[in-house]
Amino acid sequence: MSRTFVSRRAARFTESVIREMTRLADRHGAINLAQGFPDFPAPRELKEAACRAIEADLNQYAITWGSKNLRHALAAKYAHLGADPETMIVVTCGATEAMIAALMATLNPGDEVIIFEPFYENYGPDAILSGARPKFVKLIPPSNGADWTIDDTALRRAFTSRTRAVILNTPNNPTGKVFAREELALIAALCRKYDALAITDEVYEHILYDGAEHVSIATLPGMAERTITISALSKTFSVTGWRLGYSLAPPRITNAIRKVHDFLTVGAPHPLQEAAAEILARGGSFTNRLSAEYAERRDAFFEGLVAANLAPAARPRGAYYVMVDITGFGRRTDTECARWMVEDVGVAAVPGRSFYQNPRDGRRFLRFCFCKKLETLREATRRLQTAMLRVRPVKAGSRA
Ligand SMILES: Cc1ncc(COP(=O)(O)O)c(C=O)c1O
């Protein structure tokens, strides 16, 4: 029999369901609320800065760990994390590369890494690529409109002497949860007790609602030396295709991430780095506008879901996703429901199982993203409302 020429590692990965839903949305002309990319323009100032950088012929590699201007702009932005531009920052190809480079730089085969469920779908494969063993800890789903919460007992039980890191994402995809200071304090205490790293994905740090406070775990006592903070321009500046992310970490860890990053991608696009540096150096009024605009989208979409008789699990306090509980809905599983929505209703969402290790745990949910123009969101909720008039609710207890 001939070889498959597919590694055991790659053979373990399934295709990204989110990208599959995007393809189905294109095929059926559905509104794509599956993949988290905006359908509105990026800020004009940023695009103009990028045009200037290209005109200035910045066409060759930047310094592999990031152009000096961008690292200095990031150091000023993250002064509260004590970020030194020369020793603590790596500019990467999106937060995606920052995460895999961070894991490869810090974990050894067999190390355990704790991941909260539901999780952003890259974290499981990232752990596998780095040779580590993911250990999943479920957030408790909300009841009566409250928020997703940490199961303290399960989290304490998950930490052992084999734990090398915990991956955290706040504000959270897919739940919209913003981890509270007390929750982060518990995670921090366990990291200190078991001498583990916190690797924190904060790509939605500026997308917050209802006065929610974003706390970086690196600012908690004793955490600066054991935290890798990851973020990106992708979400804050609505430029997911520019592939600009970064990690902030103590010098010894940064040095290891730089080496992995160099061999993975050499560097992020040079002219776009210069454009980002220019805009970041101008300061932060932009981020207030961002939250206000997203709050309007969140409200319009959330009210639209409720009017359609759909049941959002919780009102998102950050990021731009909402999990909808489909228990009591006329379809049996999340995948059947998502397929019906994309084919017959004209709206693409992601089956909840994509965010869980065991598909059964996610099958009561669909995830919608609302990083779209208000008119797109209104048309999506109009379609959902019309479709839901045709759906007969299922009595409690009758689901398989
Ligand atoms: C939690 C989270 N982290 C990382 C990413 C990817 O970020 P980037 O496009 O900067 O690689 C996403 C994209 O949806 C995300 O939701």
Side-chain angles (χ1 to χ4, degrees), residues 307-309 384-392:
N309 247 337
L384 288 168
Q385 283 160 22
T386 309
M388 290 303 289
L389 291 176
R390 304 195 303 265
V391 170
R392 253 185 309 132

Side-chain angles (χ1 to χ4, degrees), residues 36 93-97 99 120 122-123 169 171-173 201-204 230-235 239-241 243-245 320-321 367:
C93 295
T96 303
E97 195 222 337
M99 181 59 75
Y120 170 56
N122 278 27
Y123 300 154
N169 170 219
N172 185 259
N173 171 11
D201 177 342
E202 302 184 3
V203 289
Y204 300 103
I230 289 171
S231 193
L233 266 71
S234 309
K235 312 291 176 174
V239 286
T240 57
R243 313 310 300 132
L244 286 183
Y320 47 56
Y321 304 93
R367 188 203 73 177

Side-chain angles (χ1 to χ4, degrees), residues 123 167-173 175-181 183-184 187 199-208 213-217 229-231 318-319:
Y123 300 154
I167 297 179
L168 184 68
N169 170 219
T170 182
N172 185 259
N173 171 11
T175 62
K177 174 182 174 61
V178 177
F179 282 71
R181 191 177 282 278
E183 293 175 311
L184 295 173
I187 299 167
I199 305 179
T200 168
D201 177 342
E202 302 184 3
V203 289
Y204 300 103
E205 62 190 313
H206 295 299
I207 303 179
L208 296 161
E213 178 198 21
H214 171 66
V215 179
S216 289
I217 197 167
T229 306
I230 289 171
S231 193

Side-chain angles (χ1 to χ4, degrees), residues 114-119 137 139 150 155 166-168 179 187:
I114 292 175
I115 300 175
F116 288 100
E117 279 186 308
F119 53 83
V137 175
L139 293 174
I150 290 184
L155 184 62
V166 53
I167 297 179
L168 184 68
F179 282 71
I187 299 167

Side-chain angles (χ1 to χ4, degrees), residues 58 60-77 83-91 258 268-278 280-281:
L58 295 173
Q60 313 312 328
Y61 303 122
I63 296 171
T64 179
W65 53 82
S67 87
K68 197 175 177 69
N69 288 338
L70 181 52
R71 280 181 290 112
H72 279 258
L74 288 169
K77 175 172 161 55
D84 171 47
E86 299 308 330
T87 59
M88 291 177 62
I89 297 176
V90 190
V91 176
R258 284 180 174 179
H270 189 177
L272 304 185
Q273 290 191 52
E274 296 302 338
E278 188 181 322
L280 286 175

Side-chain angles (χ1 to χ4, degrees), residues 236-286:
T236 308
F237 289 92
S238 311
V239 286
T240 57
W242 281 30
R243 313 310 300 132
L244 286 183
Y246 42 89
S247 66
L248 308 153
R252 193 145 43 94
I253 298 176
T254 293
N255 199 30
I257 298 175
R258 284 180 174 179
K259 286 190 259 184
V260 174
H261 158 73
D262 192 1
F263 293 122
L264 281 177
T265 62
V266 179
H270 189 177
L272 304 185
Q273 290 191 52
E274 296 302 338
E278 188 181 322
I279 298 307
L280 286 175
R282 285 189 207 164
S285 70
F286 174 76

